Structures are given as C-alpha cells and as structure tokens.
Amino acid sequence: MRNDLKPARLSARDVLRVGAVGLRARRARVVLSALGIALGIATMVTVIGLSESSRSDLMAQLDRLGTNLLTAEAGEDREGNPLKLPKSAVAMVERIGPVQHATATAEVDARIRRSDLVPEERTAGVTTQAARTDLLTALGGEVDRGVWLDAASSRLPTTVLGSEAAKRLGITGTGETIMMNDTRVVVVGILEPIVLVPTLDRVALVGFPAAERYFGFDGHPTTVFERSTDASVEEVGAVLARTISPGHPGGVKVSRPSDALAAKAATDEGLTRLMLGLGGVALLVGGVGVANTMVISVLERRQEIGLRRALGATRQAIRLQFLTESLLLSALGGVSGALLGAAATYGFATVQGWTAVVPPWSLAGGLAATLLIGVVAGLYPAIRAARLHPTVALNAV
C-alpha cells in the first residue's frame, strides 16, 4: 500500500463549474437573492453617478459664468435705517485697477400691474428696478425674446422683464404693455434666467433715465456689480466697500454670487452621503439574503455533500465549492446592479440635460463590495457543509 498518495485538487475551471451547478438548479431562488445585491449596488452607483453628473454640470456652469463677479449692496446704519450708495458708486469702482467691468441696478418705487383694470394692490409679486444698459454684459445674461435696453429705450417708458416676472404677468411676447403706477410701459424684451443673480428673474427693468423721469427715482444705485480678473477677486473684495463708501464702509455688504452655487455643490455632497448610506443598508440586506440562501442550500444538499465526501472529496473542496457558489451569486447581483445603476444614471442625466458621469471607481468599488459580501455571506455555510460527516449526510432525509 502506497503512503504517498495525495488527494486530487480541483482546477479553477472545475471549481467554477461545480459552484455554478447549485445556481443553475435553483434559478428562481438565485434571481431573488441576487436581486437584493443588485438593488443595493444599483442604488450606490446611481447616487454616485447622479451626484458626479450634477456636480460636473454645476462646475461647468460656474466656469461659463465665471467666479469673478462681486456685488455690493446698500446696508443699514447702526440705528437700522437703510443707507444709500452714492450716485458715483459705479465710477468709483471702475477706478480700482483690476476691475474689468462695473454696473448697477436700483430699487424703484413703482407698483406693477398687468393692466389698469387690475387693482393697484395686486402686483403679482413683481418689483421694479432701474438698470444700466451694460448690465447684461457684466452678468453674462441673455435676452430670450425681444431686445435689451439701449441708449434710446432706456429714456422711454419701456421695460425688459425677468423670466419669472413675465410668467407672473402673463406676458408671452414683446410689444405688450403693463402698468407701472399710472404709466403704461411697453415690454421690449424678456430675459433668459440669470443664474448668478436669480433675484433679477422676478423684476421689471427700466433704464436709469426713464426711472428718474417717470417714477421719481433719485439716481442712487441699490446694488453694484463688479467683475475683475480671477486672480484679484479677493483683493478687490477687500477694498470694494471702502471704495464705494469711504466714510461708512460698514454700510456696504459685499458678496460673491458664485459662492451660492459652490454651497449648493456642498449641500449635494451631504445628500449623496445620506443616499449612499441607504444604498449600503440595501446592500447589507442583500448580503443577508445571500447568506440565508446558502444556508438553506447546504441543508437541502446534505446527501449530495455526503456522496461527494464518500467519493473522495476533501473538506477543503466542499468548502471551496460552496464559497465559490456564494461568490458567483453575489457577483451576479453586483454586475447586474452596476449595469442597472449606470443605465439609470445615463437615463436621468440625459433627461436633465446633464453630461452623464459614472466614475469607474464607483463600478469597481461596487463589484469589490459584492465580492466581500459573497465571502462573508458564504463563509459560514461553506464551513458547515465541510464539517458534515459523509455517513450522517448520506442518511439525511
């Protein structure tokens, strides 16, 4: 009798084939178990993909709009009384070396109605502001319909409506008229939404000269907009209030509109972490489902295990068989979930008009997570199957 005989070892191909036998024999159960893993991975991939797509679109929008826009608004004095910016505020800002462009708007005391048949108190939530003719150039705004104010129209009773203001007043095109106080004003243009200064979407804009002539405007700007070189934004921001109001710089509030968009991106990151947590819970539930399926599989297949052990299969071979089966089951759910998540990301991003972004690391991380779950979920059932004695297993009913 030879003592140097060693048990044969299964090749990787044989291990995969043996592990797949259990999956093919119980297809309905496999699909349901893999579904839990797939939903968890799909949720995580979709959340990451949509977050990256939204952030990418936001950053691209910021690049187009620029982050070098600063605004200076009139504040209040120590007693809480409103202050006024000097009439020369724009000219003073233009003297700052790095400043490339400066313009302004101002609040105008003119109540807006759709027509003279509408009571004065029903303003539709639309306010009036005076604007300089170079406002759109500074803000990067565009006209959706009609034209912007020029040197001639800024002196006449004409207005350009913000996108939301036009909707609230029921204005669909140019040439229509609205009432500002008791003056009939012609709508010559409707703006596209202004992303950096969304408050302008809800106002009716008239020229500075027209505001002074028809509505008693005193010529003091309310908000000054300034663009400078990207490298000098912080420096300009530090001297802007002092330049506009040397005697009372504390009464001028300086802000950077692009900071609001950057804050939105930070808020999206917090929401992304929350959704990833929910995806992780779904993935955990899927892992429990895989473990449950494998435990039941071991109980149902004790005779098969006993027969293989009686024919010479080692405990290691049995353990490897069930561990491989668990990994294949998890991998099936992981791959399906990754594909489903990528498809959902591309579909939703396309509907929103975003550039779809699915980071490769999210797919790789999802698949790695499924393999880890497969190992953890299949380890106990595999060890339990390997410990079954051939005689006990063969006698199991």
Side-chain angles (χ1 to χ4, degrees), residues 177-196:
T177 61
I178 59 175
M179 298 298 295
M180 288 186 179
N181 291 344
D182 295 325
T183 302
R184 189 175 299 277
V185 178
V186 179
V187 177
V188 297
I190 299 175
L191 297 178
E192 293 275 5
I194 300 178
V195 179
L196 282 179

Side-chain angles (χ1 to χ4, degrees), residues 36 280-290:
V281 171
L283 193 58
L284 179 61
V285 172
V288 172
V290 171

Side-chain angles (χ1 to χ4, degrees), residues 55-323:
R55 190 173 296 111
S56 175
D57 183 73
L58 185 59
M59 292 302 105
Q61 192 176 53
L62 269 176
D63 289 339
R64 291 194 305 269
L65 297 173
T67 58
N68 59 343
L69 177 68
L70 295 177
T71 65
E73 297 180 308
E76 298 175 344
D77 60 19
R78 295 178 181 179
E79 286 73 32
N81 299 316
L83 296 174
K84 292 184 178 182
L85 299 181
K87 295 181 180 180
S88 59
V90 173
M92 296 166 70
V93 171
E94 289 176 334
R95 295 193 185 102
I96 302 175
V99 170
Q100 298 173 327
H101 206 114
T103 187
T105 59
E107 299 289 342
V108 176
D109 185 16
R111 300 175 67 86
I112 296 178
R113 296 173 289 161
R114 180 63 179 86
S115 71
D116 54 2
L117 300 178
V118 178
E120 290 188 4
E121 60 272 11
R122 295 185 60 181
T123 61
V126 179
T127 58
T128 306
Q129 289 191 18
R132 287 168 55 108
T133 56
D134 56 357
L135 179 67
L136 286 195
T137 303
L139 300 184
E142 295 182 358
V143 177
D144 180 28
R145 281 158 285 177
V147 296
W148 175 242
L149 300 171
D150 55 24
S153 60
S154 64
R155 299 179 177 276
L156 301 174
T158 58
T159 182
V160 175
L161 299 178
S163 57
E164 182 62 27
K167 293 178 183 178
R168 294 183 180 184
L169 291 170
I171 303 296
T172 58
T174 60
E176 299 186 54
T177 61
I178 59 175
M179 298 298 295
M180 288 186 179
N181 291 344
D182 295 325
T183 302
R184 189 175 299 277
V185 178
V186 179
V187 177
V188 297
I190 299 175
L191 297 178
E192 293 275 5
I194 300 178
V195 179
L196 282 179
V197 192
T199 54
L200 293 181
D201 294 339
R202 301 184 294 274
V203 304
L205 298 166
V206 298
F208 266 65
E212 294 176 359
R213 179 178 180 182
Y214 296 101
F215 309 113
F217 173 52
D218 59 8
H220 289 273
T222 305
T223 304
V224 174
F225 301 95
E226 172 276 329
R227 279 195 187 272
S228 56
T229 58
D230 292 331
S232 60
V233 172
E234 300 298 334
E235 296 177 4
V236 173
V239 301
L240 192 57
R242 195 178 308 114
T243 301
I244 293 175
S245 181
H248 193 69
V252 180
K253 298 182 293 184
V254 178
S255 61
R256 192 174 181 178
S258 59
D259 288 344
L261 293 179
K264 182 177 182 298
T267 303
D268 289 343
E269 288 181 3
L271 182 60
T272 297
R273 286 193 290 269
L274 173 62
M275 296 303 295
L276 284 178
L278 295 177
V281 171
L283 193 58
L284 179 61
V285 172
V288 172
V290 171
N292 183 57
T293 297
M294 295 308 301
V295 170
I296 295 175
S297 179
V298 170
L299 294 175
E300 290 179 343
R301 296 162 63 187
R302 283 182 295 178
Q303 290 187 334
E304 174 194 333
I305 296 170
L307 181 60
R308 288 200 63 207
R309 293 280 282 119
L311 293 176
T314 64
R315 288 186 175 183
Q316 181 180 356
I318 298 297
R319 191 161 48 241
L320 189 59
Q321 171 190 349
F322 282 90
L323 191 58

